[in-house]
């Protein structure tokens, strides 16, 4: 409860009106505890208010404490004290009364109510000369949750646009007064799942989400195509057809990882970006191998099949030594690019040699095998190089890489002003 010094030209009458108003609030709510926010000039009125509880309403005043605000016209100081106390008592049910006090005190109390989601109230009634007529008092309660929810809603959209999808969901979960909240909640959940590479779950949310921007529709088409390709790769097509569908699916995932890495770079999470870019490089080699129907992800490299498409007998002998007893060949990233070169893809070895310095940085990073942090310039340069080489390597494929990048880029949402 904020306590002023009363309103009116007659000091005695002003104090009587203040006492009646404040004690009316107490008898209306019958609180277990009261904290009075007073100025040095108004602190002595607390005893008058308690006496008014007894004489006017037959009520024993509850336990109380008094907080002194040295300058009641200093808004910053008023807010600091009132908000600080409200935060300390947030675990309890709080009502903030702002029936009296300076303009700075009552404004600070209202904003503290807004930020702590506490109810704010003041005494009103029939008035004469701007003063409430005794005997007509009534409580007027104001719930500022709607304004608070609107603030959280704007914050949630900002978090989404900054790729903090978990935070955006958390902010939305505490909102109850905004009708469009569920529309955004489904949308945010879709991108939260997608950012974690859970494509089926992301599509489940985005399938029926509103197209708040044109990008949402493009993203939905991208996910739908990706999931359809996955289904085709598992159905009863020929091996060659299955490899063709898997090649396109892997390319979709590769492009999505490029966008994922770019989001990590924008968020200054450079080690995470490098880890994704390393996977892009490996996935690129696996996409390219599928041009020879070699599936190094969902299948295995078999020497008996490889020898049929290797033309140099020296290469055949080299890979024969790498095969295990079952004829399966397991090779690392560098060797995948060398295999592409041996199969006749000119420049594949150079692609790897060009990217090798970046791959060493990743291997030495703290999230891989070393203790060195990754710097922003390194991450941005690696992204550009990986994209450039991917575009060159996939030139002969019937896929528009840049179109897929646009189609899978997350949208930027405008904050609705209504």
């Amino acid at each position: 409860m904020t306590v002023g010094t009363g309103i009116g030209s007659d000091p005695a009458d002003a104090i009587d009106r203040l006492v009646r108003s404040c004690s009316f609030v107490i008898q209306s709510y019958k609180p277990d505890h009261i904290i009075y926010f007073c100025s040095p000039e108004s602190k002595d009125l607390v005893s008058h208010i308690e006496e008014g509880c007894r004489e006017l309403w037959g009520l024993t005043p509850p336990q109380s404490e008094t907080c002194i605000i040295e300058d009641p016209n200093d808004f910053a100081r008023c807010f600091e004290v009132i908000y600080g106390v409200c935060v300390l008592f947030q675990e309890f049910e709080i009502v903030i009364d702002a029936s009296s006090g300076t303009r700075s005190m009552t404004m600070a109390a209202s904003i503290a109510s807004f930020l702590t989601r506490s109810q704010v109230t003041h005494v009103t009634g029939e008035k004469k000369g701007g003063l409430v007529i005794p005997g007509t008092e009534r409580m007027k309660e104001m719930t500022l949750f709607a304004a608070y929810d609107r603030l959280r809603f704007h914050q949630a959209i900002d978090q989404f646009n900054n790729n903090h999808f978990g935070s955006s969901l958390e902010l939305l979960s505490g909102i109850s007064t905004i009708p469009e909240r569920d529309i955004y909640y489904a949308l945010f959940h879709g991108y939260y799942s997608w950012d974690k590479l859970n494509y089926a779950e992301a599509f489940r949310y985005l399938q029926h989400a509103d197209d708040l921007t044109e990008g949402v529709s493009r993203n939905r088409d991208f996910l739908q195509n990706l999931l359809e390709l996955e289904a085709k790769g598992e159905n009863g097509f020929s091996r060659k057809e299955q490899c063709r569908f898997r090649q396109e699916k892997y390319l979709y995932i590769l492009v999505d990882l490029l966008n994922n890495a770019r989001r990590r770079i924008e968020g200054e999470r450079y080690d995470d970006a490098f880890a994704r870019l390393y996977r892009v490089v490996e996935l690129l080699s696996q996409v390219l191998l599928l041009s020879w129907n070699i599936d190094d992800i969902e299948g295995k490299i078999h020497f008996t099949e490889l020898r049929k498409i290797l033309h140099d007998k020296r290469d055949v002998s080299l890979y024969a030594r790498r095969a295990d007893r079952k004829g399966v060949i397991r090779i690392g990233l560098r060797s995948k690019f060398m295999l592409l070169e041996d199969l006749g893809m000119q420049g594949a070895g150079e692609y790897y040699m060009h990217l090798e310095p970046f791959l060493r940085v990743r291997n030495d990073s703290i999230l891989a095998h070393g203790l060195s942090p990754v710097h922003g310039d390194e991450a941005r340069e690696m992204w550009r190089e990986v994209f450039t080489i991917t575009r060159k390597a996939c030139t002969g494929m019937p896929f528009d890489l840049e179109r897929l990048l646009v189609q899978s880029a997350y949208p930027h949402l405008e904050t609705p002003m209504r």
Side-chain angles (χ1 to χ4, degrees):
M1 175 179 285
T2 54
V3 180
T5 55
I7 301 174
S9 57
D10 183 343
D13 180 65
I15 290 175
D16 288 344
R17 288 178 182 274
L18 182 145
V19 167
R20 182 177 180 88
S21 174
C22 291
S23 61
F24 176 76
V25 175
I26 296 171
Q27 74 86 25
S28 297
Y29 286 101
K30 297 179 176 60
D32 294 322
H33 197 87
I34 301 176
I35 297 175
Y36 295 100
F37 297 103
C38 304
S39 66
E41 292 76 20
S42 67
K43 64 179 182 179
D44 293 337
L45 294 180
V46 170
S47 60
H48 292 267
I49 294 170
E50 293 179 339
E51 187 61 30
C53 289
R54 297 185 186 94
E55 293 185 357
L56 295 173
W57 316 107
L59 176 71
T60 301
Q63 292 182 340
S64 65
E65 299 171 66
T66 301
C67 286
I68 302 298
I69 301 175
E70 292 296 335
D71 183 357
N73 295 306
D74 181 346
F75 170 78
R77 183 57 182 158
C78 291
F79 176 74
E80 181 182 347
V81 173
I82 296 173
Y83 176 71
V85 170
C86 289
V87 169
L88 287 175
F89 287 88
Q90 263 191 301
E91 61 183 292
F92 301 98
E93 182 181 358
I94 298 174
V95 176
I96 302 176
D97 176 63
S99 300
S100 69
T102 64
R103 187 178 297 274
S104 294
M105 291 170 73
T106 57
M107 185 181 296
S110 298
I111 295 176
S113 162
F114 169 79
L115 294 175
T116 59
R117 306 198 77 175
S118 305
Q119 188 167 268
V120 65
T121 184
H122 68 275
V123 176
T124 187
E126 296 179 22
K127 294 185 178 180
K128 183 177 180 180
L131 301 175
V132 175
I133 299 173
T136 68
E137 296 95 346
R138 66 179 186 275
M139 300 305 304
K140 185 173 183 179
E141 299 173 341
M142 293 183 294
T143 302
L144 304 180
F145 296 171
Y148 184 79
D149 280 355
R150 184 60 61 178
L151 173 65
R152 287 176 65 95
F153 182 56
H154 290 183
Q155 290 173 334
I157 293 175
D158 286 341
Q159 289 295 301
F160 176 89
N161 288 335
N162 287 313
N163 304 319
H164 301 310
F165 306 108
S167 297
S168 68
L169 281 171
E170 185 177 351
L171 285 163
L172 280 186
S173 65
I175 292 174
S176 59
T177 63
I178 296 181
E180 62 267 35
R181 175 259 187 197
D182 290 343
I183 295 174
Y184 283 82
Y185 193 80
L187 195 73
F188 290 3
H189 231 301
Y191 287 99
Y192 173 79
S193 300
W194 188 351
D195 193 56
K196 294 183 177 298
L197 308 177
N198 189 338
Y199 301 117
E201 183 77 356
F203 184 70
R204 187 171 73 85
Y205 279 103
L206 295 183
Q207 186 175 11
H208 305 293
D210 287 25
D211 292 343
L212 298 177
T213 69
E214 184 181 352
V216 175
S217 177
R218 288 198 302 265
N219 291 163
R220 187 187 300 113
D221 291 342
F222 179 89
L223 286 175
Q224 184 172 3
N225 291 339
L226 172 57
L227 294 174
E228 287 176 355
L229 286 167
E230 185 170 3
K232 288 179 180 178
E234 299 300 326
N235 289 335
F237 293 96
S238 68
R239 174 178 170 79
K240 184 177 181 180
E241 289 173 321
Q242 283 183 337
C243 286
R244 165 65 179 77
F245 290 132
R246 288 179 182 177
Q247 184 180 51
E248 189 172 358
K249 181 187 80 170
Y250 297 163
L251 189 64
Y252 268 65
I253 295 173
L254 182 154
V255 167
D256 183 55
L257 283 173
L258 277 171
N259 272 325
N260 196 307
R262 181 156 55 187
R263 290 195 298 273
R264 296 308 186 272
I265 292 171
E266 291 170 354
E268 299 183 357
R269 297 163 61 184
Y270 305 123
D271 292 274
D272 288 344
F274 250 67
R276 283 153 176 77
L277 290 171
Y278 185 93
R279 180 66 183 112
V280 168
V281 175
E282 182 181 37
L283 193 54
L284 174 61
S285 69
Q286 293 164 327
V287 166
L288 296 172
L289 284 170
L290 278 164
S291 297
W292 285 269
N293 298 328
I294 299 173
D295 187 351
D296 186 42
I297 297 180
E298 297 174 64
K300 297 177 181 178
I301 302 176
H302 290 274
F303 174 69
T304 53
E305 296 177 1
L306 190 59
R307 68 185 302 176
K308 297 175 184 177
I309 53 178
L310 285 170
H311 304 293
D312 193 316
K313 290 185 178 180
R314 288 174 299 178
D315 294 335
V316 173
S317 175
L318 172 66
Y319 289 102
R321 292 195 296 271
R322 294 189 174 192
D324 62 16
R325 293 181 179 179
K326 296 181 179 180
V328 175
I329 299 172
R330 294 179 174 83
I331 54 178
L333 179 55
R334 180 180 182 279
S335 295
K336 287 182 176 68
F337 281 93
M338 296 304 107
L339 173 58
L340 287 166
E341 189 86 34
D342 295 338
L343 289 169
M345 183 178 179
Q346 293 183 354
E350 292 181 9
Y351 293 152
Y352 179 83
M353 298 304 293
H354 191 75
L355 292 171
E356 189 177 29
F358 297 104
L359 302 179
R360 284 201 299 268
V361 172
R362 183 264 173 185
N363 286 333
D364 292 338
S365 72
I366 198 165
L367 293 185
H369 310 297
L371 294 174
S372 302
V374 175
H375 300 292
D377 290 343
E378 293 173 320
R380 283 183 282 271
E381 187 178 356
M382 183 179 183
W383 194 96
R384 288 191 295 268
E385 293 299 328
V386 169
F387 172 69
T388 300
I389 286 177
T390 300
R391 185 168 53 183
K392 286 181 181 178
C394 296
T395 299
M397 295 183 183
F399 314 121
D400 188 338
L401 192 70
E402 295 189 40
R403 182 185 64 82
L404 290 178
L405 266 175
V406 172
Q407 196 178 20
S408 59
Y410 289 6
H412 183 280
L413 301 180
E414 298 295 331
T415 302
M417 302 302 292
R418 60 176 180 172

